[in-house]
Amino acid sequence: MNQPEQHEPLISYETLLEQFKDLLKRSKPPLKFTKQREIILSTLYSHSGHYTPEELYQIIKEENPDLKTGIATVYRTLSLLENAGIVTSISFGTQGKKYELGVKAHHDHLICTKCGKILEFFDVAIERKQARIAKEFGFKMEDHSLKIFGICPECQKIEKEREKHKIESKKIESLQQKDKEH
Amino acid sequence: MNQPEQHEPLISYETLLEQFKDLLKRSKPPLKFTKQREIILSTLYSHSGHYTPEELYQIIKEENPDLKTGIATVYRTLSLLENAGIVTSISFGTQGKKYELGVKAHHDHLICTKCGKILEFFDVAIERKQARIAKEFGFKMEDHSLKIFGICPECQKIEKEREKHKIESKKIESLQQKDKEH
DNA sequence: GTCGCTGCAAAGTCTTTGCAGAGAG
DNA sequence: CTCTCTGCAAAGACTTTGCAGCGAC
C-alpha cells in the first residue's frame, strides 16, 4: 500500500512537453516556448526527485554549459510550472522550497532531519480522512501536505557508529588514566 | 473528535513561567531570565494563536512601549523556546514561519490560502497511521506536520459576493452597450 | 516586426550575527 | 564582578525585479 521507492513519472516526456507547450499557447497573453524553459522541464523529468532552485540551477549549468541559464530564470520558470500545476513544491523551515515534477500520483513525504533525504508514501485512509476534516470545517480544500520528520535508517546507523566510537574512546581514556595512576 | 476552536492552554501561566525559569537555570551555561524573555513568553501565552516573529514583535512593541525590545531578540527567544520545546513553529512557502505556544495538546492545521487564518484539529486515526508509516520505513519519527490548505467559509462567502458583483457590473455594462447601439 | 523572455545586477524580504554597553546572578 | 543579553545596524541567505538586448512567433 505504501510505496517505498521514488515513483516513475506517469507520462512520457513527449506528452509532458506537449502539455507544457499547450499551456504556454493557451495563456492569456500567449507565452513563449524557449530553450531555457525546455531545459528546466527536461531536467526535472530526467532527475526524479526534489530540488531547491539552486540545486536545479547547478545541475542545469553542469549539463548545459553552452546555454547560459540564469538562476532568475530557474525561479521564474519554477513559479510558472507551479502555478500551472506541473510541478509541486514542498517547503522547509526558513531554508526555502524544494520542487518536484507533479505529474506523479499524489503522495506525502518522509523527511530525514539529518541528511535531508526525502521519501514518498501514499496512504488512502489518511487522504480520505483529510478530505472529511476539511469538509467538517467548511473548508474548500485546495491542497494538503503531510510531512513526517525523523531520522532515516542510514542516519540511525551512522549515529550508532558514532556512539560506539565515543564509548571506545572513553574506554581508551580511562585505561590511559589507570596507566597514569600506576 | 475534532475540536474546531482554539484550545485553551493546558497549564497556568505561573506553571509555564516556572518551567521556563527551570529550563534557563538547567542549561549548560546557565541562561538568564530577562524582562524581554518574560514578555515574549507572556505575550505568546495571552495571545493564543499563530504568529510570525514580526507580528509578535508588533504586539510586544504596542503593549510594552516602555521596554524597547528588538526584533532580533524576538527571533533569538523564539528560537530558544522552540529548541526547548515550549513553542512550535509551522512554516509556509517562502514567507517564513509562524510560532505558537506548544504546551497545548498536539494538533494539526487547516490553513486558509486567502486570509492566512489557521484552525486546529486533532485526529487520532491519522496520528496512529503516521506512526505506523514511519515505522514501516525504518524512520525514527521525531515530528510530523499535517497541513490542509483551502479556503475558509468566510473567504468563500467573500468570493461569492465578488462574483455576484462582477456579474452585476457585466449586466450594467451590457445594458450601457445596448444604449449606445441605439 | 512585435512582444515576451533572458541574463545580469540591483533591490527586496526575512533572518542571523557582531559588537559595545546594560543587566542578571 | 562575571558573563550573558540586548539593541542596533550590518551582514547573510534566498528570492524577486528592472532593464536593455535577444529571440520566438
Side-chain angles (χ1 to χ4, degrees):
Chain A
M1 180 173 49
N2 301 321
Q3 296 113 292
E5 302 307 326
Q6 297 275 341
H7 318 191
E8 282 308 302
L10 298 177
I11 61 173
S12 71
Y13 182 61
E14 285 67 37
T15 312
L16 177 64
L17 196 60
E18 276 321 301
Q19 227 180 57
F20 183 43
K21 283 186 182 171
D22 259 31
L23 180 110
L24 294 173
K25 245 182 275 180
R26 287 184 200 178
S27 290
K28 306 168 239 182
L31 303 177
K32 292 178 180 173
F33 179 69
T34 63
K35 274 258 176 317
Q36 287 84 345
R37 286 179 176 168
E38 164 157 28
I39 283 185
I40 291 169
L41 188 68
S42 76
T43 304
L44 279 167
Y45 188 88
S46 59
H47 297 70
S48 170
H50 306 75
Y51 302 96
T52 62
E54 184 63 33
E55 286 165 351
L56 204 56
Y57 171 61
Q58 292 303 335
I59 296 175
I60 288 169
K61 248 188 5 189
E62 201 173 302
E63 300 189 349
N64 310 78
D66 329 330
L67 182 71
K68 288 204 182 308
T69 304
I71 184 96
T73 299
V74 174
Y75 274 100
R76 284 184 284 227
T77 303
L78 284 174
S79 178
L80 173 67
L81 289 170
E82 184 171 21
N83 285 332
I86 294 180
V87 307
T88 56
S89 71
I90 164 169
S91 57
F92 297 86
T94 306
Q95 281 65 255
K97 283 177 167 187
K98 289 193 178 187
Y99 291 84
E100 67 172 322
L101 211 49
V103 290
K104 299 187 283 181
H106 170 78
H107 55 264
D108 293 308
H109 296 101
L110 269 159
I111 301 164
C112 177
T113 55
K114 293 284 172 207
C115 66
K117 189 190 307 154
I118 298 177
L119 294 182
E120 303 172 350
F121 68 90
F122 178 76
D123 188 289
V124 189
I126 291 182
E127 299 295 319
R128 283 207 205 106
K129 213 75 212 278
Q130 291 182 70
R132 210 177 307 155
I133 289 166
K135 204 173 168 187
E136 191 177 312
F137 284 81
F139 262 60
K140 193 162 128 193
M141 184 161 96
E142 295 179 324
D143 194 12
H144 55 251
S145 128
L146 170 55
K147 288 177 275 194
I148 300 180
F149 298 95
I151 303 175
C152 71
E154 289 73 26
C155 289
Q156 284 179 49
K157 259 185 223 164
I158 293 168
E159 276 197 341
K160 274 180 202 160
E161 288 299 319
R162 270 204 204 126
E163 259 164 54
K164 213 187 282 177
H165 288 161
K166 261 190 206 164
I167 292 165
E168 270 163 25
S169 42
K170 269 187 194 165
K171 273 185 195 164
I172 292 167
E173 265 174 41
S174 68
L175 285 175
Q176 290 174 336
Q177 195 58 36
K178 276 182 191 168
D179 273 9
K180 271 189 195 169
E181 290 168 12
H182 288 292
Chain B
M1 179 172 51
N2 302 320
Q3 295 114 293
E5 303 307 325
Q6 297 276 340
H7 319 189
E8 282 307 303
L10 299 177
I11 62 175
S12 72
Y13 183 62
E14 285 66 37
T15 312
L16 177 64
L17 195 59
E18 276 320 302
Q19 227 179 57
F20 183 43
K21 283 187 182 173
D22 258 32
L23 180 109
L24 293 173
K25 244 182 278 181
R26 287 183 201 178
S27 291
K28 307 169 238 181
L31 303 177
K32 293 176 178 174
F33 178 69
T34 64
K35 274 258 177 316
Q36 287 85 344
R37 286 178 177 170
E38 165 157 27
I39 284 184
I40 291 169
L41 187 68
S42 76
T43 304
L44 280 168
Y45 188 88
S46 58
H47 297 71
S48 170
H50 306 77
Y51 302 96
T52 62
E54 184 63 34
E55 286 165 352
L56 205 57
Y57 172 63
Q58 292 303 337
I59 297 175
I60 288 169
K61 249 189 6 188
E62 200 173 301
E63 300 187 348
N64 310 77
D66 330 330
L67 181 70
K68 289 204 181 306
T69 305
I71 183 94
T73 300
V74 174
Y75 274 99
R76 284 185 283 228
T77 304
L78 284 175
S79 177
L80 172 67
L81 289 170
E82 184 171 21
N83 285 332
I86 294 180
V87 307
T88 56
S89 71
I90 164 168
S91 58
F92 298 86
T94 306
Q95 280 65 254
K97 283 177 167 187
K98 289 193 176 188
Y99 292 84
E100 66 173 322
L101 211 49
V103 290
K104 298 188 285 181
H106 170 78
H107 56 264
D108 293 308
H109 296 101
L110 268 160
I111 302 165
C112 177
T113 55
K114 294 282 171 207
C115 66
K117 189 190 306 153
I118 297 176
L119 294 181
E120 302 172 350
F121 68 90
F122 179 75
D123 188 288
V124 189
I126 290 182
E127 298 295 318
R128 282 205 205 108
K129 212 74 212 281
Q130 290 181 69
R132 213 178 306 155
I133 288 166
K135 205 173 168 188
E136 193 177 311
F137 284 81
F139 262 60
K140 195 162 129 191
M141 185 161 96
E142 294 179 324
D143 195 12
H144 57 251
S145 124
L146 171 54
K147 289 178 275 192
I148 299 180
F149 297 95
I151 304 175
C152 70
E154 289 73 28
C155 289
Q156 283 179 49
K157 261 185 221 163
I158 293 168
E159 275 198 343
K160 275 180 203 160
E161 288 299 320
R162 272 208 201 120
E163 259 163 55
K164 213 187 283 178
H165 288 162
K166 259 191 208 163
I167 291 165
E168 273 163 25
S169 40
K170 268 188 196 164
K171 273 186 196 164
I172 292 167
E173 264 174 44
S174 68
L175 286 174
Q176 290 173 336
Q177 194 56 38
K178 276 182 193 167
D179 273 8
K180 269 192 196 169
E181 289 170 11
H182 288 293

